[in-house]
């Protein structure tokens, strides 16, 4: 079977997805080691028996709903190739909105930024890649996530970042940051979407929070006051229906200049506020 015929058959089997053709091409690129342009130009190339066997195994995994990112072990974020594993959630494009808001508020002089619950490290690495004046600390309670973030750091050769294991702030010495960012767990425990699509395969500990998804967000808003410099910013990703509640939490804990920003689907996704001491 050649490349073209395999893609045609794979598209039929992946018709339950929104991007069947793209996913088929990704799997073919992964197994053959050739990019999309090569596969298009040499679509009549025959697949070996070994390649067909491996492709069949990957197709079966995808048919069971396993995310493509976990199957091939990577995804793209901020135009960077990122390793992913089932120990972390898969970075979403909308999280780039959080990066954008942080970049808009970076001081002109050298500064320090904290990324809470760093996971794969993508937020920390994206910010550090754009600003050589930034020194970013990324923390996560999961040692596997910290190890993965370090692998991504070495892969991308970004060294103005330090990743460490910590349950939120607990392993940090009291120190001051110009900006704190976080994409914390914010899905409510009884949300039916946890049992659908990609979420079925992602770690619940990185997705779910008590108090209708707001417990971690409130904790971060409260404790960040001890770690932010005067006029420092706290920037949080949250669910698209949580913007008002997050803003109210900012107000309750004495922050000012509170704002909610929309994502690429025009939904509330990131809220931010400034601390004046």
């Amino acid at each position: 079977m050649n490349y073209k015929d395999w893609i045609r058959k794979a598209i039929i089997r992946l018709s339950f997805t929104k991007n069947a053709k793209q996913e088929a091409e990704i799997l073919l690129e992964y197994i053959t080691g050739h990019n999309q342009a090569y596969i298009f130009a040499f679509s009549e190339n025959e697949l070996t028996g070994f390649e067909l066997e491996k492709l069949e195994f990957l197709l079966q995994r995808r048919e069971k709903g396993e995310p493509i990112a976990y199957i091939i072990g990577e995804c793209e974020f901020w135009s960077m190739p990122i390793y992913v594993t089932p120990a972390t959630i898969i970075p979403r494009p909308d999280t780039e909105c959080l990066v954008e808001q942080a970049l808009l508020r970076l001081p002109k002089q050298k500064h320090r930024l904290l990324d809470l619950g760093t996971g794969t490290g993508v937020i920390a690495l994206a910010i550090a890649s754009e600003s050589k004046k930034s020194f970013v600390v990324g923390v996560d309670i999961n040692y596997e996530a910290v190890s993965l973030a370090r692998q991504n750091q070495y892969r991308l050769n970004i060294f103005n970042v330090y990743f460490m294991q910590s349950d939120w702030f607990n392993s940090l010495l009291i120190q001051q940051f110009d900006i704190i960012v976080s994409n914390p767990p914010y899905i409510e425990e009884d949300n039916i979407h946890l049992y659908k699509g990609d979420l079925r395969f992602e770690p619940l500990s990185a997705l779910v929070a008590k108090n209708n998804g707001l417990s971690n967000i409130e904790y971060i808003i409260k404790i960040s006051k001890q770690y932010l410099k005067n006029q420092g910013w706290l920037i949080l990703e949250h669910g698209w229906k949580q913007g008002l509640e997050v803003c109210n939490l900012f107000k309750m804990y004495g922050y000012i200049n509170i704002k909610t920003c929309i994502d690429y689907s025009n939904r509330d996704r990131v809220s931010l506020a400034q601390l004046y001491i």
Side-chain angles (χ1 to χ4, degrees), residues 3 20 22-23 31 41 43 45 47 49 59 61 84 88 103 111 128 134 136 143 150 179 190 204 214-215 244 253:
Y3 293 169
Q22 181 185 22
E23 292 192 3
I31 292 301
S43 61
N45 278 12
L47 288 157
L59 265 180
R61 289 172 63 183
V84 295
T88 64
L103 292 174
H111 50 270
S134 297
V136 187
Y143 178 76
R150 289 171 179 163
I179 297 178
D190 59 353
L204 285 176
L214 294 169
S215 60
L244 179 60
Y253 286 98

Coordinates of all heavy atoms in Angstrom, one line a residue, residues 3 20 22-23 31 41 43 45 47 49 59 61 84 88 103 111 128 134 136 143 150 179 190 204 214-215 244 253:
Y3 N 1.6 5.6 0.2 CA 1.2 6.7 1.1 C -0.2 7.2 0.8 O -1.0 7.4 1.8 CB 2.2 7.9 1.0 CG 3.6 7.6 1.4 CD1 4.6 8.5 1.1 CD2 4.0 6.5 2.1 CE1 5.9 8.3 1.5 CE2 5.3 6.2 2.5 CZ 6.2 7.2 2.1 OH 7.5 7.0 2.5
A20 N -9.6 14.5 10.5 CA -9.2 13.2 10.1 C -8.0 13.2 9.2 O -7.1 12.4 9.4 CB -10.4 12.4 9.5
Q22 N -5.7 15.5 8.7 CA -4.5 16.0 9.4 C -4.0 15.0 10.3 O -2.7 14.8 10.4 CB -4.9 17.3 10.2 CG -3.7 17.9 10.9 CD -4.1 19.1 11.8 OE1 -5.2 19.2 12.1 NE2 -3.1 19.9 12.1
E23 N -4.8 14.3 11.0 CA -4.4 13.3 12.0 C -3.7 12.1 11.2 O -2.7 11.5 11.7 CB -5.5 12.8 12.9 CG -6.0 13.9 13.8 CD -6.9 13.3 14.9 OE1 -7.1 12.1 14.9 OE2 -7.4 14.1 15.7
I31 N 5.6 7.8 11.6 CA 6.2 6.4 11.3 C 7.2 6.4 10.2 O 8.2 5.7 10.3 CB 5.0 5.5 11.0 CG1 4.1 5.2 12.2 CG2 5.6 4.1 10.4 CD1 4.9 4.6 13.4
A41 N 4.8 14.8 -2.3 CA 5.5 14.7 -3.5 C 5.7 13.2 -3.9 O 5.8 12.9 -5.1 CB 6.9 15.4 -3.4
S43 N 3.8 10.5 -3.1 CA 2.6 9.8 -2.6 C 2.5 8.3 -3.1 O 1.7 7.6 -2.5 CB 1.3 10.6 -2.9 OG 1.2 10.7 -4.3
N45 N 4.9 6.2 -3.0 CA 5.9 5.4 -2.3 C 5.2 4.3 -1.6 O 4.1 4.5 -0.9 CB 6.7 6.2 -1.3 CG 7.9 6.9 -2.0 OD1 8.0 7.0 -3.2 ND2 8.8 7.4 -1.2
L47 N 4.6 1.6 1.4 CA 4.9 1.4 2.8 C 5.4 -0.1 3.0 O 4.9 -1.0 2.4 CB 3.7 1.6 3.7 CG 3.2 3.1 3.8 CD1 1.8 3.2 4.2 CD2 4.1 3.8 4.8
G49 N 6.0 -3.6 5.2 CA 5.1 -4.4 6.1 C 5.2 -3.9 7.5 O 4.3 -3.8 8.3
L59 N -3.3 3.6 14.7 CA -4.7 3.8 14.3 C -5.7 3.3 15.3 O -6.7 3.9 15.7 CB -5.0 3.3 12.9 CG -4.8 4.2 11.7 CD1 -5.2 3.4 10.4 CD2 -5.7 5.4 11.8
R61 N -5.2 2.7 18.5 CA -5.1 3.6 19.7 C -6.0 4.8 19.5 O -6.7 5.2 20.4 CB -3.7 3.9 20.0 CG -2.8 2.8 20.5 CD -1.4 3.2 20.7 NE -1.1 4.2 21.7 CZ 0.0 4.8 21.9 NH1 1.1 4.3 21.2 NH2 0.2 5.7 22.8
V84 N 5.2 15.5 25.2 CA 4.1 15.3 26.2 C 4.0 13.9 26.6 O 4.4 13.0 25.8 CB 2.7 15.8 25.6 CG1 2.7 17.3 25.3 CG2 2.4 15.0 24.3
T88 N 1.0 14.6 32.1 CA 0.7 16.0 32.1 C -0.5 16.2 31.1 O -0.8 15.3 30.2 CB 1.8 16.9 31.5 OG1 2.1 16.5 30.2 CG2 3.1 16.7 32.4
L103 N 3.4 38.5 28.4 CA 4.4 39.3 27.6 C 4.1 40.8 27.6 O 5.0 41.6 27.6 CB 4.5 38.7 26.2 CG 5.1 37.3 26.1 CD1 5.0 36.8 24.7 CD2 6.5 37.2 26.6
H111 N 13.8 40.8 35.2 CA 12.6 40.5 36.1 C 12.5 39.0 36.3 O 13.1 38.2 35.6 CB 11.3 41.1 35.5 CG 11.1 40.6 34.0 ND1 11.6 41.4 33.0 CD2 10.6 39.6 33.5 CE1 11.4 40.8 31.9 NE2 10.7 39.7 32.1
A128 N 10.0 32.7 28.4 CA 11.5 32.8 28.4 C 12.1 32.9 27.0 O 13.1 33.6 26.8 CB 12.1 31.6 29.2
S134 N 13.9 37.9 31.2 CA 13.1 37.1 32.1 C 13.9 36.0 32.7 O 14.7 35.3 32.0 CB 11.9 36.5 31.4 OG 11.0 37.5 30.9
V136 N 12.6 32.7 34.7 CA 11.3 32.1 35.0 C 11.5 30.9 35.9 O 12.4 30.0 35.6 CB 10.6 31.7 33.7 CG1 9.2 31.2 34.0 CG2 10.5 32.9 32.7
Y143 N 6.6 15.0 40.0 CA 8.0 15.0 39.6 C 8.1 14.6 38.1 O 9.1 15.1 37.4 CB 8.8 13.9 40.4 CG 10.2 13.8 40.0 CD1 11.2 14.8 40.3 CD2 10.6 12.7 39.2 CE1 12.5 14.7 39.9 CE2 11.9 12.6 38.8 CZ 12.9 13.6 39.1 OH 14.2 13.5 38.7
R150 N 11.9 19.8 32.0 CA 13.4 19.9 31.8 C 13.8 19.3 30.5 O 14.7 19.9 29.8 CB 14.1 19.2 33.0 CG 14.0 20.0 34.3 CD 14.5 19.1 35.5 NE 14.5 19.9 36.7 CZ 14.6 19.3 37.9 NH1 14.8 18.0 38.0 NH2 14.5 20.1 39.0
I179 N 5.8 38.9 38.1 CA 4.6 38.3 37.5 C 4.5 36.8 38.0 O 5.5 36.1 38.0 CB 4.6 38.3 36.0 CG1 4.6 39.8 35.5 CG2 3.4 37.6 35.4 CD1 4.7 39.9 34.0
D190 N -17.9 17.2 39.0 CA -18.9 16.5 38.3 C -19.2 16.8 36.9 O -20.2 16.5 36.3 CB -20.2 16.7 39.1 CG -20.7 18.1 39.2 OD1 -19.9 19.0 38.8 OD2 -21.8 18.4 39.7
L204 N -6.5 13.5 36.0 CA -7.5 14.3 36.7 C -6.9 15.3 37.7 O -7.5 16.4 37.9 CB -8.5 13.3 37.5 CG -9.5 12.5 36.7 CD1 -10.3 11.6 37.6 CD2 -10.4 13.5 35.9
L214 N -13.0 26.2 41.6 CA -12.3 27.4 41.9 C -11.4 27.3 43.1 O -10.7 28.3 43.5 CB -13.4 28.5 42.3 CG -14.3 28.9 41.1 CD1 -15.4 29.7 41.6 CD2 -13.4 29.7 40.1
S215 N -11.2 26.1 43.7 CA -10.4 26.0 45.0 C -9.0 26.4 44.7 O -8.4 27.1 45.5 CB -10.6 24.6 45.6 OG -10.1 23.6 44.7
L244 N -16.2 35.9 35.7 CA -16.8 36.8 36.7 C -16.4 36.4 38.1 O -16.0 37.2 39.0 CB -18.3 36.9 36.6 CG -19.1 37.8 37.6 CD1 -18.6 39.2 37.5 CD2 -20.6 37.7 37.4
Y253 N -9.7 39.7 47.6 CA -8.3 39.7 48.2 C -7.5 41.0 47.9 O -6.3 41.0 48.1 CB -7.6 38.5 47.7 CG -8.1 37.2 48.3 CD1 -9.0 36.4 47.7 CD2 -7.7 36.8 49.6 CE1 -9.5 35.2 48.3 CE2 -8.2 35.7 50.2 CZ -9.1 34.9 49.5 OH -9.5 33.7 50.1

